[in-house]
Amino acid sequence: MSIYCQQIDEIVECNSKHLDQYQLDTMNLTEQEQLANTILNEYNKNLTTLAYITSSAEFEAHLYLNDTNKRRTTEKCYEAYRNCLKTIAIAARQFKNLIENQNSSLYWLLIRTQAIGDAGETDLNIKIQLHKLKTHIKEIYHRKFIWNNTKLGIDEVQEILGTLNSPDDLLSLWNATYEVAAPMRDYYSTLIAVQNQQATQNRTNEKSDTPANLEERQLVEQLWQELKPLHELLHAYIRQNMAKLYPGHVRLDEPIPIHLTKDLFGLMMTYLERDILPFPHIKGIDLGPAMIRKNFTEQEIFQYADKFFISLNLTRVPEKFWNLSIFKKIPNRHMACHPTAIDLYKYDDVRIRMCTSITSRDFYVVHHEMGHIQHYLQYENLPFWFRRSPHGAFGEGIGDAIALATMSPTHLKRIGLLENYTSSREDNIKFLISQGLSRLFLPPFAYALDIWRWSVFNGSIQPHEYNKRYWDLICQYQGMKPPTHRDERYFDAGTKLHVASDLSYIKYFLAHVFQFQIFDILCQEAGHQGPLHLCDLHGSNAAGNKLKILLGLGSSKPWQDILEEFAGVRTFSAKSCLKYFQPLREYLEELVANGQLNVGWKCENNHCSTRNFTRINICFILFLKFLISKFFFYL
């Protein structure tokens, strides 16, 4: 079978390999490994070229969202790419003796070829249905809408939302944005039904019902119980200051109206910093004005990130990165603006697409995305099947840890973007609240969102209650509420890109915990002493060499093995996050003890306060343990 894509003039062979089982059985393990290596090396070369063709086509399509020809080309390439992965998975499965022998040098490689080969999707009609449904949903997500005489897409809203101050303007833009996803509702419910039909054919109960997923949910619940007291304290502080900022709109015993956070989902509330940070007599950290004073361009922010990695003795980005990446919005172009780092798998081709603004928020995001780029560069010499993160939380956590390191006041002073930081207790508290605004509200949102997705997949949330149950969970975990009543005409979860793209979001929860674990270990390696939030990794070869363990191994080993090699433990831990924010927690607990903070909230829809959630969550853990034990029993 020859695969040809017109976008780039290359032909890729991805022929099926039908091996004689009798001949295989007469070979010893060494001979089988040699044959498997020969076959997989041939596939690796051609698949890498096909991945390059497909990624290039997708990059172009996202720069021209109105161009249907580019979208069709991408779809054609992706179909060839998926078929090739499936062909390879089937070929690899023929080496069953190697797959069943964990001592084989190719054991993990053969496991990986099947894991990413989607060999379970055998029903062509279901594949066609799924493709059509996902295409419809993505088209709806990318539709433009008019607000204040301006044509916008969902990905373009955040920067404008952050500049608004009037509650009426915030509400108007929030409502207009959330209207976009409403037509997804029927397509999404059909998508779930078809996916569960596919899961039934593949002999699983529903899309996420596997022991690994159940154990991951149990881990997330355990981590959330550790983080929850800190989140509730910071929530109380933010709500109290927002009540002063928006009198009559925010009450001290209720969830925060989400539009007033100036973030579409209440995830990164950095736009509130100027108005709610304590100690106004102390100048806070706002990188936007400092970068503007220094005449920063969007590309220069990326150059600062590149210099940080170089200081750790890591890899400088290739020259073509600067020529082929998109660093800011192209005028009068309908393009995807969601920050994305892309590995094109060939010719040292790595790129970023981002509509960057000169703000503290985007300084953080740029360093996060450049963390992905460094990951790609470090594992670029591995076989195709290993050139990816071993766990979703690894790639995101590494990017977050880099952003965490470069937002350290010590580092910002070093690079000339921060002046007059004295590291007094007040300075530190102010900085840690700022960090909490950008880092402590994503985990509860991610957990709430994926509980909603899991419940939709297993049928415990039905289409007629999509919106109500979504906002119930957002209230319960995040302490937020919609600005107005949202009935079942809407599909508010679909406003989040990951729901529209049918992607799990729980990896971001784990990554937000893991980033502090990574940062803590790197700081120890660099010899840092003192509060963790003041650690500066710049110039530490020791920290860089340690980081290479996470970056360079790709998915060449199970993630638990890589984590153990890096951290000495085999699972994620919230201890470093709590260590990082310990000075803030002590300060907020003092305010509570003095009667200055009212902690907790009551959700109207389910009539329960946050103080009742611990008992519910413990029951949830026990239920997950029961499901895991039942799953293994029936095996």
Side-chain angles (χ1 to χ4, degrees), residues 27 99 160 176 277 290 305 311 313 352 423 455 491 500 537 557-558 617:
M27 293 180 176
I99 294 172
I160 297 173
L277 289 182
S311 83
N313 198 31
I352 277 178
S423 197
S455 301
F491 184 62
L537 297 176
K557 297 180 181 180
N617 288 332

Side-chain angles (χ1 to χ4, degrees), residues 34-143:
Q34 290 173 345
L35 177 60
N37 253 326
T38 300
I39 292 172
L40 291 175
N41 284 339
E42 179 184 339
Y43 276 135
N44 178 69
K45 178 182 177 182
N46 294 331
L47 183 57
T48 300
T49 299
L50 182 55
Y52 176 75
I53 294 169
T54 305
S55 300
S56 299
E58 182 180 42
F59 186 81
E60 280 293 304
H62 282 152
L63 293 183
Y64 297 88
L65 289 174
N66 289 332
D67 192 326
T68 56
N69 289 329
K70 289 186 183 296
R71 186 167 68 244
R72 289 184 189 126
T73 298
T74 302
E75 290 169 359
K76 177 184 175 183
C77 290
Y78 259 111
E79 183 63 22
Y81 176 60
R82 284 190 291 265
N83 285 338
C84 189
L85 288 172
K86 181 179 174 181
T87 297
I88 296 167
I90 292 170
R93 188 180 293 125
Q94 296 175 82
F95 293 94
K96 59 181 181 180
N97 291 337
L98 301 181
I99 294 172
E100 293 169 0
N101 184 352
Q102 294 191 23
N103 294 321
S104 165
S105 63
L106 294 185
Y107 168 76
W108 185 245
L109 175 58
L110 291 168
I111 293 295
R112 289 296 302 164
T113 61
Q114 294 175 77
I116 66 173
D118 268 343
E121 291 188 21
T122 55
D123 189 314
L124 181 60
N125 289 329
I126 286 181
K127 288 178 70 173
I128 292 172
Q129 276 185 279
L130 289 175
H131 175 72
K132 287 182 178 178
L133 289 164
K134 290 181 179 182
T135 298
H136 283 312
I137 291 170
K138 288 179 182 177
E139 286 175 350
I140 293 169
Y141 178 87
H142 287 296
R143 283 178 186 169

Side-chain angles (χ1 to χ4, degrees), residues 309-590:
F309 286 110
I310 294 169
S311 83
L312 299 181
N313 198 31
L314 295 174
T315 304
R316 185 189 302 270
V317 297
E319 190 61 33
K320 66 177 63 177
F321 169 83
W322 305 110
N323 298 327
L324 298 176
S325 293
I326 301 297
F327 300 123
K328 59 182 179 179
K329 176 80 167 62
I330 299 173
N332 304 315
R333 173 83 62 82
H334 183 26
M335 57 175 282
C337 273
H338 190 82
T340 306
I342 303 133
D343 182 5
L344 278 80
Y345 294 100
K346 204 173 183 186
Y347 313 128
D348 294 330
D349 196 341
V350 290
R351 306 179 195 177
I352 277 178
R353 183 194 68 243
M354 181 173 171
C355 300
T356 316
S357 57
I358 312 297
T359 61
S360 290
R361 183 190 185 102
D362 276 7
F363 186 87
Y364 162 83
V365 173
V366 164
H367 283 81
H368 172 96
E369 295 302 328
M370 289 292 276
H372 287 303
I373 294 295
Q374 190 63 216
H375 204 176
Y376 305 153
L377 294 174
Q378 290 297 324
Y379 63 48
E380 68 178 0
N381 292 320
L382 293 176
F384 174 85
W385 297 277
F386 294 155
R387 290 178 61 178
R388 59 199 66 231
S389 174
H391 185 289
F394 271 59
E396 298 301 328
I398 290 166
D400 284 339
I402 298 306
L404 195 67
T406 53
M407 291 299 288
S408 159
T410 318
H411 178 71
L412 294 176
K413 285 178 69 174
R414 177 194 292 272
I415 63 176
L417 288 178
L418 181 62
E419 300 173 356
N420 304 320
Y421 192 88
T422 63
S423 197
S424 67
R425 188 186 189 215
E426 291 181 339
D427 276 309
N428 288 330
I429 295 303
K430 190 161 191 166
F431 171 73
L432 287 172
I433 290 178
S434 172
Q435 289 291 81
L437 286 170
S438 65
R439 284 175 166 80
L440 292 180
F441 281 83
L442 185 143
F445 172 81
Y447 195 16
L449 184 66
D450 262 24
I451 288 177
W452 182 86
R453 290 181 70 254
W454 296 331
S455 301
V456 167
F457 284 127
N458 69 27
S460 58
I461 291 180
Q462 291 292 309
H464 70 271
E465 55 182 353
Y466 276 171
N467 233 37
K468 177 186 181 301
R469 296 289 295 278
Y470 170 76
W471 286 110
D472 284 352
L473 288 164
I474 292 297
C475 180
Q476 177 178 336
Y477 287 91
Q478 201 180 1
M480 305 284 179
K481 66 179 181 180
T484 57
H485 176 66
R486 307 292 293 178
D487 59 31
E488 297 304 325
R489 290 175 296 171
Y490 301 106
F491 184 62
D492 292 337
T495 309
K496 187 63 182 164
L497 173 67
H498 297 75
V499 173
S501 299
D502 192 35
L503 299 171
S504 172
Y505 202 65
I506 204 63
K507 68 177 181 180
Y508 296 98
F509 177 107
L510 292 169
H512 262 57
V513 174
F514 189 35
Q515 66 175 303
F516 294 97
Q517 199 172 354
I518 297 170
F519 184 55
D520 194 1
I521 289 167
L522 295 179
C523 288
Q524 292 175 39
E525 203 69 21
H528 171 73
Q529 295 182 347
L532 184 56
H533 69 277
L534 294 179
C535 168
D536 182 12
L537 297 176
H538 189 280
S540 173
N541 286 355
N545 291 335
K546 189 74 169 177
L547 185 56
K548 283 181 181 179
I549 296 173
L550 283 185
L551 296 173
L553 289 173
S555 56
S556 60
K557 297 180 181 180
W559 69 267
Q560 295 92 336
D561 292 351
I562 296 175
L563 181 56
E564 185 173 30
E565 190 172 337
F566 172 74
V569 297
R570 294 182 62 81
T571 193
F572 304 114
S573 169
K575 291 180 181 177
S576 295
C577 178
L578 297 175
K579 175 182 175 181
Y580 184 94
F581 284 107
Q582 183 59 29
L584 173 60
R585 183 170 182 171
E586 292 172 358
Y587 169 75
L588 295 175
E589 286 174 343
E590 289 174 13

Side-chain angles (χ1 to χ4, degrees), residues 196 199-200 203-207 209 457 631:
N196 281 331
T200 301
R203 297 181 298 281
T204 58
N205 292 333
E206 46 96 2
K207 185 177 178 182
D209 185 15
F457 284 127
F631 189 96

Side-chain angles (χ1 to χ4, degrees), residues 192-328:
I192 299 304
V194 174
Q195 286 179 332
N196 281 331
Q197 179 186 349
Q198 179 191 58
T200 301
Q201 290 186 1
N202 293 339
R203 297 181 298 281
T204 58
N205 292 333
E206 46 96 2
K207 185 177 178 182
S208 57
D209 185 15
T210 67
N213 284 337
L214 292 171
E215 289 173 1
E216 183 172 82
R217 294 182 218 174
Q218 186 177 351
L219 171 62
V220 169
E221 175 60 26
Q222 175 188 326
L223 294 170
W224 172 239
Q225 288 303 320
E226 294 178 47
L227 293 175
K228 180 181 165 187
L230 175 60
H231 170 259
E232 290 185 345
L233 284 167
L234 185 58
H235 180 282
Y237 173 84
I238 292 168
R239 179 179 55 192
Q240 180 164 299
N241 283 275
M242 289 182 70
K244 299 173 184 175
L245 185 62
Y246 300 111
H249 293 276
V250 180
R251 300 185 182 280
L252 296 183
D253 61 348
E254 293 183 4
I256 298 171
I258 201 164
H259 68 301
L260 297 179
T261 68
K262 299 189 179 184
D263 184 281
L264 209 50
F265 308 100
L267 301 184
M268 287 182 66
M269 294 184 282
T270 53
Y271 290 111
L272 290 175
E273 286 184 357
R274 190 177 307 150
D275 297 310
I276 72 169
L277 289 182
F279 317 122
H281 61 284
I282 294 177
K283 189 176 180 181
I285 298 176
D286 187 354
L287 301 182
M291 289 189 288
I292 290 170
R293 282 197 305 271
K294 292 177 179 289
N295 297 314
F296 264 57
T297 64
E298 292 81 2
Q299 183 167 318
E300 280 182 292
I301 305 178
F302 291 88
Q303 290 169 342
Y304 264 72
D306 190 38
K307 290 175 184 176
F308 174 77
F309 286 110
I310 294 169
S311 83
L312 299 181
N313 198 31
L314 295 174
T315 304
R316 185 189 302 270
V317 297
E319 190 61 33
K320 66 177 63 177
F321 169 83
W322 305 110
N323 298 327
L324 298 176
S325 293
I326 301 297
F327 300 123
K328 59 182 179 179

